[in-house]
Amino acid sequence: MTTPAVPESPRIPEAVHRRRWAILGVLMLSLLIVVLDNSILNVAIKTISTPPPVGLGATQGELEWAINAYTLVFAGLLFTAGLLGDRLGRKKVLVFGLVVFGLGSALAAESGSPVQLIIFRAIMGIGAAFVMPATLAILMNVFERDEQPKAIGIWAGGVGIAIAIGPITGGLLLDHFWWGSVFLVNVPIVIIAVVLMLALVPDSRDPKPGRIDLVGVALSVVGLVLLVYGIIKGGQLADFTDPAVLLTIAAGLVVLVGFVLYEKRSDHPSIDITYFKNKVFSAAIAAIALVFFALMGVTFFSVFYTQSVRGYSPLQTGLLMLPLAAAQLIFAPRARLVVDRFGVRATTTGGLVILAAMLAAFTILDADTPIWILEVIFFLMGMGMAHVMTPTSVVIMQALPREKAGSASALSNTFRQVGGALGIAVLGSVLSTAYRSGIEDKLGLLPAGLRHTAGESIEATIGVAAKLGPRGDALVGAANDSFLHAMHVTAVCGAGIALVSAVVTILFLPGRPPRTTAEESTEETVGAGR
């Protein structure tokens, strides 16, 4: 099944067409802060897990919630944010989202406890939900169809810029200021983005918007929160058979099934289930979700590998992640050329296979592996991702009419965020369970009250070892060994998920489009002239 043709829309106004690249720059700045925030936080999580006054003393579970509070609210509200943009105007909701995101960032910077940080991160997630779908929807309304793949490639490359700037910025800030500065840095960027947005970007909306689906939004958020909470709790307890864990996960799945059934019967659904009858559209959505499932889970543990096991500072960790960002920046805008030559299926599947191989390559890393090997892994991971994100984003956005751009963008970003949230929860829980099982035997000499705390994460174990003085040295070595084993197990799980995604793309994404008669004639002419 091929992607349905999109009806040709009226030409874009000439004044808008002339400044389309400047508008794209503003949209990328708006996108920058949403992605920047998570990439900065990845570097800061070790500092935040450090006891006060340096950090907040957050546990592994609290760290996962600090990330997922943002991601879950973000994912849960994307449907409604996309529909509101289509109804009220994408520029209006984007500016609103930027202001809320800036306010949440300022509050997060002043958090006095992990619980406060989780709450303020959720507020940031509300703002981000109104920013992300609007950027791609506006892009689709200021570029003609033939330029959209190029524009989307550059837009996806913006993710690479944010991934590059985030860890380095976070490292610099943590070297000179307190941990809250990694959130406060968002505020001036928000102010600049709002000013440029008001000055340059035109508004657009769907001439026939649907009603807001409040019941659907509530069901999706409740279902996702219950599911992820159950998974994280299972990781904390290192026991997924615990009745409370099983009941919570089951309740989340039941609510999400109810959400799907309700959406099928609703006359104003958040998600139009009929979109998924298009196998190409569904496969592209699944590929994005599974890629972010694998990638976010692996990124979560790689920071602990570089800082806790290898002893690098936050700034050095940020610099170590540069190859991942550079590869995205280099290859994302050029991925459309590979698609033109080999087709969406070959390009995307190849990217996923590279990503799976690099995730599996984490199993060769230990405490003294030459660091350039990690750099090569990161670079190839970024290259693989670039050849997945760009073609699948184009497929998704061009599958629906231009006036539904907000809905298409919201769907794409929702599944990306849900995939990322589940990746952090599931792979984070695999990491936590494997770590606890590896370190448990080494904690027997500790007082009973400290054993559970010390077994939660490598940072918790190292924190307890530091209080023991010279007696704790052996515990640090055991913590490193246990973490490396847990990292290897988790990386294999991530690689498996990426391979599942590759199978989906092989089966359902379109191959290389047949050449037209004109193209064949041109090739024959060129060949004859040689």
Side-chain angles (χ1 to χ4, degrees):
M1 183 172 181
T2 58
T3 305
V6 180
E8 284 297 323
S9 301
R11 244 190 86 78
I12 293 162
E14 184 59 32
V16 173
H17 182 72
R18 282 199 306 268
R19 65 175 189 269
R20 65 194 184 284
W21 298 110
I23 292 170
L24 178 60
V26 179
L27 296 176
M28 287 176 66
L29 182 63
S30 303
L31 173 71
L32 180 75
I33 62 165
V34 175
V35 181
L36 181 77
D37 178 70
N38 265 339
S39 60
I40 282 183
L41 184 59
N42 283 334
V43 174
I45 53 178
K46 179 182 180 294
T47 305
I48 294 171
S49 70
T50 306
V54 175
L56 293 176
T59 64
Q60 182 104 353
E62 287 168 338
L63 286 174
E64 291 176 26
W65 273 112
I67 296 172
N68 283 333
Y70 173 90
T71 304
L72 286 175
V73 173
F74 187 4
L77 291 179
L78 274 168
F79 303 137
T80 300
L83 289 172
L84 280 173
D86 290 343
R87 171 186 283 272
L88 302 176
R90 286 123 188 177
K91 176 179 177 177
K92 293 185 183 70
V93 301
L94 203 159
V95 171
F96 168 78
L98 286 171
V99 171
V100 172
F101 186 90
L103 177 63
S105 298
L107 292 170
E110 299 299 327
S111 299
S113 69
V115 173
Q116 287 184 8
L117 178 61
I118 291 167
I119 292 169
F120 296 142
R121 288 276 297 162
I123 293 174
M124 293 170 67
I126 294 172
F130 286 87
V131 172
M132 181 71 91
T135 61
L136 200 48
I138 291 171
L139 181 155
M140 298 299 287
N141 280 273
V142 299
F143 284 91
E144 297 290 359
R145 185 175 174 82
D146 60 341
E147 282 191 320
Q148 286 171 3
K150 181 179 180 181
I152 289 174
I154 296 171
W155 178 87
V159 175
I161 295 174
I163 293 173
I165 295 174
I168 296 170
T169 305
L172 285 169
L173 291 170
L174 291 171
D175 274 0
H176 296 91
F177 304 100
W178 92 115
W179 64 265
S181 61
V182 302
F183 297 110
L184 200 60
V185 73
N186 292 330
V187 177
I189 302 175
V190 164
I191 293 171
I192 294 169
V194 168
V195 171
L196 292 174
M197 187 71 55
L198 294 174
L200 290 174
V201 178
D203 210 352
S204 61
R205 65 185 73 193
D206 183 352
K208 297 178 181 178
R211 286 186 290 149
I212 303 303
D213 177 21
L214 295 177
V215 175
V217 171
L219 287 173
S220 66
V221 173
V222 170
L224 285 170
V225 169
L226 286 172
L227 177 62
V228 172
Y229 178 79
I231 293 169
I232 291 175
K233 193 67 178 174
Q236 286 178 325
L237 298 176
D239 182 10
F240 282 89
T241 62
D242 183 89
V245 171
L246 290 174
L247 284 173
T248 307
I249 292 175
L253 292 172
V254 168
V255 173
L256 289 174
V257 170
F259 166 70
V260 172
L261 295 175
Y262 177 81
E263 295 297 283
K264 288 179 71 174
R265 290 168 173 75
S266 175
D267 60 356
H268 58 288
S270 292
I271 299 179
D272 189 339
I273 302 298
T274 60
Y275 294 161
F276 293 93
K277 292 180 179 179
N278 181 339
K279 291 179 182 178
V280 172
F281 180 85
S282 298
I285 288 281
I288 279 185
L290 291 172
V291 162
F292 274 79
F293 181 102
L295 186 78
M296 291 296 288
V298 171
T299 303
F300 184 74
F301 70 63
S302 65
V303 172
F304 286 100
Y305 170 70
T306 54
Q307 293 188 44
S308 299
V309 176
R310 302 301 297 264
Y312 289 102
S313 70
L315 175 57
Q316 289 170 327
T317 297
L319 292 170
L320 286 173
M321 295 181 74
L322 264 180
L324 177 67
Q328 285 234 40
L329 192 58
I330 292 167
F331 292 107
R334 293 169 175 77
R336 64 189 175 84
L337 303 176
V338 183
V339 171
D340 290 343
R341 184 174 178 85
F342 299 106
V344 172
R345 181 194 301 152
T347 303
T348 307
T349 303
L352 286 165
V353 170
I354 291 171
L355 181 61
M358 291 308 101
L359 293 174
F362 270 86
T363 59
I364 68 173
L365 300 178
D366 55 32
D368 54 6
T369 302
I371 203 64
W372 65 264
I373 294 177
L374 178 64
E375 299 297 88
V376 172
I377 292 173
F378 275 151
F379 184 82
L380 292 176
M381 279 178 69
M383 184 177 75
M385 273 199 70
H387 288 91
V388 176
M389 283 181 58
T390 300
T392 52
S393 295
V394 172
V395 166
I396 291 165
M397 295 306 296
Q398 292 192 341
L400 302 181
R402 179 177 280 168
E403 60 270 16
K404 298 294 183 184
S407 300
S409 177
L411 274 174
S412 172
N413 285 295
T414 296
F415 278 85
R416 178 159 48 195
Q417 295 302 320
V418 169
L422 289 175
I424 291 168
V426 173
L427 296 182
S429 294
V430 170
L431 181 74
S432 181
T433 302
Y435 179 76
R436 184 182 287 278
S437 65
I439 197 70
E440 226 162 18
D441 294 343
K442 314 295 191 303
L443 303 177
L445 299 177
L446 294 177
L450 284 178
R451 286 176 201 163
H452 182 81
T453 301
E456 280 194 350
S457 67
I458 184 172
E459 272 307 302
T461 308
I462 291 173
V464 170
K467 296 175 182 176
L468 299 176
R471 292 183 301 147
D473 292 344
L475 193 56
V476 172
N480 286 341
D481 292 341
S482 298
F483 178 82
L484 287 168
H485 170 71
M487 182 180 79
H488 295 161
V489 171
T490 309
V492 169
C493 293
I497 295 296
L499 285 177
V500 168
S501 186
V503 172
V504 170
T505 58
I506 288 173
L507 292 176
F508 299 112
L509 285 186
R512 185 181 179 185
R515 293 187 302 175
T516 64
T517 304
E519 287 173 331
E520 290 173 353
S521 300
T522 301
E523 192 169 295
E524 288 171 7
T525 302
V526 171
R530 285 175 184 160

